């Protein structure tokens, strides 16, 4: 059964939800919808209800006012006001219910509020006009404008005052009451004093609201910005996931190819080794004239053949050794031997090649340098380094080999004045099958200038050195600046049956 999983909210949603919990909507569309709903409820239900309650109280207060202060025995003033007030409430309520949403050009709720100024003034008229103690009723409409805007509060204040002044004028000039204008001026000043703080409060409310709106807009911008960034991050994450899967596929394909390459090398090397041994055996037998005497030309041809077979055998041996290293089957046959002596022997073995290349090998080693290691492997390491130095140094160049004890280690350096190594290549040369040339123009040889082998020599040397818990690395200032190969070996290597951690894998 498919399980419904709900996505965890992102940052923008979380912030928006937290702010919404305080009744603030950051989504501008939803904020507008909520505002419209609130306005509808306020104008169509609450204000008419308040109006009804307000007129009821005002009617009662007019009745009491007229009875006790004006000494009227009828309730005519109060009832008249009640009739007008309730009539106004009923009419406006019906109109609001019918048209509040439909009429958008003017705000119907505000319009009826302004009209109410006249009703309130009528309340003053019903409570004795110029004699009314309830004259403040005329400006009562302005009192609930404290939380609106200055403009609106001022309009209500001016409207109320004008309405009151108009009433007094009407009473004086039309109904010919005896209006005392000095008292009326005092009343009007009192009303102004009463309305002034209301306009001031509206100003403060306006400022607070403006800064609140600014904050809300900032929060809206912020959430939309975060929303955008979250979407971008989401897209980047999806992209990364895709790349990760692609990389995994490529890695799988590469490891399959690698396995195929290894299988190919194993099969071909083994298939070549047996015939090579047979060819080498027969070649030696022929050279030793077991099958009859040979002419000089035959001898030379067989020697050339022997030379090529030797090289091919070495190459096959290199590949097999590398495969052994890969499989972690490297074994150290540790013995004590004189390392200085080993270097001297290699130097003498190379003397023929050095002579042919008119190169000078400067060997700086102590008289004896006892080492406990796999002699054959260390021999191959040093042979490879010195042979490389001969191959990659032009005729008449110099090669220097130094070896010295340093605490519990031996430090060896093979320096040549040859072609040098580019900085970008310095790590790569220790990789398997590394050839810094186009394989199509590959020239092989043991000592010829720029001759190359299989590209396995340094990789095998590195594995051998690391198997002894040693280190090997190359240094070169750059092209044609010569190079130095450094080796550090422990004085006493631990005998190890199978190397647990196959190097170079
Ligand atoms: P190869 O048996 O083909 O020489 P190596 O693993 O011994 O392979 O060397 C790998 C590569 O490292 C060489 O092809 C050469 O480009 C570079 N290299 C090795 N020794 C030197 C050196 N002394 N000077 C300059 N380049 C060298």
């Amino acid at each position: 059964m498919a399980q419904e999983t709900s996505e965890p909210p992102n940052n923008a949603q979380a912030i928006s939800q937290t702010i919404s919990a305080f009744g603030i909507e950051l989504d501008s569309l939803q904020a507008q919808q909520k505002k419209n709903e609130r306005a509808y409820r306020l104008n169509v239900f609450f204000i008419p209800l308040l109006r009804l309650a307000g007129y009821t109280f005002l009617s009662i207060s007019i009745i009491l006012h007229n009875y006790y202060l004006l000494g009227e025995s009828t309730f005519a003033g109060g009832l008249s006001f009640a009739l007008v007030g309730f009539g106004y409430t009923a009419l406006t309520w019906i109109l609001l219910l019918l048209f509040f949403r439909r009429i958008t050009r003017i705000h119907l709720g505000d319009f009826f509020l302004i009209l109410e100024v006249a009703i309130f003034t009528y309340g003053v008229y019903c409570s004795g006009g110029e004699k009314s103690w309830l004259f403040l009723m005329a400006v009562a409409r302005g009192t609930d404008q404290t939380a609106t805007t200055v403009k609106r509060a001022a309009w209500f204040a001016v409207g109320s005052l004008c309405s009151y002044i108009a009433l007094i004028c009407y009473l004086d000039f039309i109904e010919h009451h005896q209006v005392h204008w000095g008292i009326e001026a005092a009343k009007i000043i009192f009303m102004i004093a009463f309305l002034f703080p209301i306009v001031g409060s509206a100003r403060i409310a306006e400022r607070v609201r403006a800064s609140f709106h600014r904050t809300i807009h900032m929060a809206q911008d912020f959430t939309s910005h975060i929303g955008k960034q979250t979407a971008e991050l989401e897209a980047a994450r999806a992209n990364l996931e895709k790349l990760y899967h692609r990389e995994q596929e490529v890695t799988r394909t590469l490891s399959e190819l690698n396995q195929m390459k290894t299988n190919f090398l194993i099969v071909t090397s083994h298939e070549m080794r047996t015939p090579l041994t047979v060819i080498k055996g027969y070649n030696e037998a022929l050279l030793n004239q077991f099958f009859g005497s040979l002419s000089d030309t035959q001898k030379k041809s067989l020697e050339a053949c022997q030379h090529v077979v030797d090289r091919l055998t070495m190459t096959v041996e290199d590949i097999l050794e590398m495969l052994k290293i890969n499989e972690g089957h490297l074994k150290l046959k540790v013995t004590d031997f004189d390392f200085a002596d080993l270097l001297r022997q290699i130097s003498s073995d190379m003397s023929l090649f050095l002579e042919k290349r008119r190169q000078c090998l400067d060997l700086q080693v102590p008289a004896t340098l006892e080492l406990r290691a796999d002699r054959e492997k260390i021999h191959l390491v040093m042979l490879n380094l010195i042979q490389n130095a001969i191959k990659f140094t032009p005729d008449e160049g110099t090669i220097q080999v130094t070896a010295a004890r340093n605490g519990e280690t031996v430090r060896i350096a093979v320096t040549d004045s040859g072609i040098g190594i580019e900085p970008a290549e310095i790590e790569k040369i220790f990789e398997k099958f590394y050839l810094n040339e186009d394989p199509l123009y590959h020239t092989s040889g043991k000592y010829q200038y720029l001759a190359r082998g299989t590209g396995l020599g340094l990789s095998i040397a590195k594995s051998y050195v690391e198997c002894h818990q040693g280190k090997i690395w190359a240094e070169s200032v750059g092209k044609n600046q010569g190079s130095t190969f450094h080796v550090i070996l422990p004085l006493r290597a631990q005998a190890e049956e199978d190397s647990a951690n196959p190097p170079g894998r």
Side-chain angles (χ1 to χ4, degrees):
M1 202 173 81
Q3 263 195 338
E4 260 193 41
T5 51
S6 57
E7 286 272 317
N10 59 35
N11 283 352
Q13 283 170 338
I15 291 171
S16 199
Q17 280 168 10
T18 314
I19 295 179
S20 293
F22 291 99
I24 299 165
E25 189 53 67
L26 289 183
D27 183 309
S28 44
L29 202 72
Q30 284 189 8
Q32 190 55 45
Q33 271 176 1
K34 283 195 176 170
K35 198 174 161 189
N36 291 347
E37 274 170 33
R38 273 200 308 274
Y40 184 78
R41 274 201 306 273
L42 181 74
N43 286 282
V44 180
F45 294 105
F46 296 121
I47 291 182
L49 265 178
L50 285 174
R51 188 172 278 142
L52 193 64
Y55 287 153
T56 308
F57 285 119
L58 281 175
S59 304
I60 294 168
S61 67
I62 290 172
I63 288 169
L64 295 174
H65 171 274
N66 291 2
Y67 185 76
Y68 290 111
L69 291 170
L70 302 184
E72 280 182 10
S73 51
T74 62
F75 299 155
L79 291 176
S80 169
F81 178 75
L83 198 69
V84 172
F86 293 150
Y88 181 76
T89 306
L91 184 69
T92 53
W93 208 333
I94 291 167
L95 291 175
L96 282 166
L97 274 168
L98 289 177
F99 299 112
F100 183 78
R101 279 198 172 127
R102 285 194 230 163
I103 295 177
T104 50
R105 291 186 70 175
I106 57 159
H107 193 287
L108 219 51
D110 287 354
F111 178 70
F112 292 143
L113 278 182
I114 294 168
L115 267 190
E116 229 170 9
V117 169
I119 308 289
F120 280 28
T121 311
Y122 180 66
V124 181
Y125 177 74
C126 291
S127 56
E130 79 285 358
K131 288 183 277 181
S132 175
W133 283 41
L134 298 177
F135 66 92
L136 273 183
M137 208 193 321
V139 291
R141 185 61 281 168
T143 54
D144 60 356
Q145 299 305 313
T146 46
T148 61
T149 61
V150 183
K151 206 168 147 191
R152 194 176 150 128
W155 270 112
F156 271 86
V158 172
S160 305
L161 280 173
C162 291
S163 169
Y164 180 74
I165 294 166
L167 171 70
I168 299 302
C169 290
Y170 168 79
L171 291 173
D172 191 356
F173 302 119
I174 309 286
E175 291 196 4
H176 303 295
H177 287 219
Q178 282 194 335
V179 174
H180 193 300
W181 279 100
I183 295 173
E184 290 313 317
K187 278 193 204 167
I188 289 166
I189 290 169
F190 181 66
M191 283 187 209
I192 292 172
F194 180 74
L195 288 170
F196 196 71
I198 290 170
V199 179
S201 306
R203 175 91 190 109
I204 294 167
E206 199 176 54
R207 276 195 192 151
V208 170
R209 209 170 33 247
S211 94
F212 182 69
H213 279 153
R214 268 200 306 277
T215 313
I216 293 278
H217 282 140
M218 271 168 65
Q220 275 173 340
D221 287 352
F222 180 61
T223 36
S224 90
H225 182 67
I226 288 191
K228 261 187 222 149
Q229 281 196 338
T230 311
E232 276 172 25
L233 271 177
E234 198 52 42
R237 193 183 63 86
N239 216 7
L240 262 180
E241 225 164 71
K242 244 193 241 162
L243 285 174
Y244 173 70
H245 289 309
R246 176 99 195 89
E247 200 224 292
Q248 274 190 328
E249 254 173 52
V250 171
T251 313
R252 230 190 340 269
T253 314
L254 279 178
S255 79
E256 278 168 19
L257 285 173
N258 196 34
Q259 190 54 49
M260 278 167 70
K261 180 206 76 185
T262 307
N263 292 346
F264 169 77
L265 286 174
I266 292 171
V267 173
T268 44
S269 307
H270 279 113
E271 285 300 312
M272 280 168 81
R273 192 148 75 164
T274 322
L276 276 174
T277 318
V278 176
I279 295 170
K280 192 175 158 69
Y282 278 115
N283 215 55
E284 272 171 12
L286 282 169
L287 266 173
N288 290 331
Q289 308 195 20
F290 289 152
F291 306 124
S293 53
L294 300 170
S295 68
D296 280 353
T297 323
Q298 285 170 329
K299 244 187 184 173
K300 268 192 184 151
S301 308
L302 279 174
E303 271 166 8
C305 195
Q306 183 74 354
H307 179 68
V308 175
V309 169
D310 280 349
R311 285 204 54 74
L312 199 55
T313 310
M314 266 169 58
T315 304
V316 171
E317 290 304 331
D318 270 1
I319 293 173
L320 285 171
E321 189 63 12
M322 188 269 297
L323 292 170
K324 239 198 264 172
I325 293 168
N326 265 4
E327 294 307 314
H329 295 323
L330 205 57
K331 287 177 189 167
L332 290 186
K333 290 191 202 112
V334 174
T335 53
D336 292 315
F337 63 94
D338 183 354
F339 181 62
D341 206 34
L342 176 84
L343 287 178
R344 278 190 286 270
Q345 188 202 321
I346 296 172
S347 162
S348 110
D349 291 347
M350 295 287 110
S351 59
L352 190 68
F353 303 139
L354 289 161
E355 217 172 277
K356 284 191 176 168
R357 300 286 314 281
R358 299 187 302 282
Q359 288 171 335
C360 161
L361 175 67
D362 176 17
L363 196 60
Q364 291 192 8
V365 287
T368 56
L369 186 46
E370 282 306 317
L371 194 65
R372 187 171 173 72
D374 185 322
R375 189 180 193 282
E376 200 188 322
K377 290 190 170 52
I378 298 301
H379 178 260
L380 280 170
V381 171
M382 295 316 301
L383 190 66
N384 180 270
L385 294 183
I386 295 170
Q387 253 176 4
N388 276 350
I390 295 172
K391 286 193 295 184
F392 297 111
T393 302
D395 290 355
E396 297 173 2
T398 54
I399 298 158
Q400 190 188 53
V401 179
T402 60
R405 191 179 157 168
N406 182 13
E408 283 306 293
T409 60
V410 180
R411 283 181 157 265
I412 307 138
V414 180
T415 306
D416 62 53
S417 59
I419 61 166
I421 308 163
E422 300 271 15
E425 309 285 313
I426 216 123
E427 294 286 331
K428 291 189 194 162
I429 57 172
F430 292 96
E431 287 170 11
K432 289 181 221 91
F433 298 109
Y434 177 78
L435 285 180
N436 183 18
E437 55 154 17
D438 186 338
L440 283 177
Y441 304 105
H442 184 81
T443 51
S444 60
K446 264 187 185 168
Y447 65 92
Q448 290 86 347
Y449 185 44
L450 298 183
R452 280 169 166 92
T454 48
L456 284 173
L458 284 178
S459 158
I460 294 174
K462 187 171 191 273
S463 300
Y464 284 172
V465 170
E466 285 176 354
C467 217
H468 282 84
Q469 313 297 324
K471 265 195 211 163
I472 180 167
W473 74 97
E475 276 174 8
S476 175
V477 180
K479 222 172 165 147
N480 298 321
Q481 305 284 315
S483 33
T484 300
F485 283 76
H486 297 273
V487 180
I488 297 180
L489 286 171
L491 269 189
R492 271 167 283 278
Q494 300 292 319
E496 205 179 3
E497 274 309 289
D498 274 298
S499 62
N501 232 345
R505 203 151 186 185

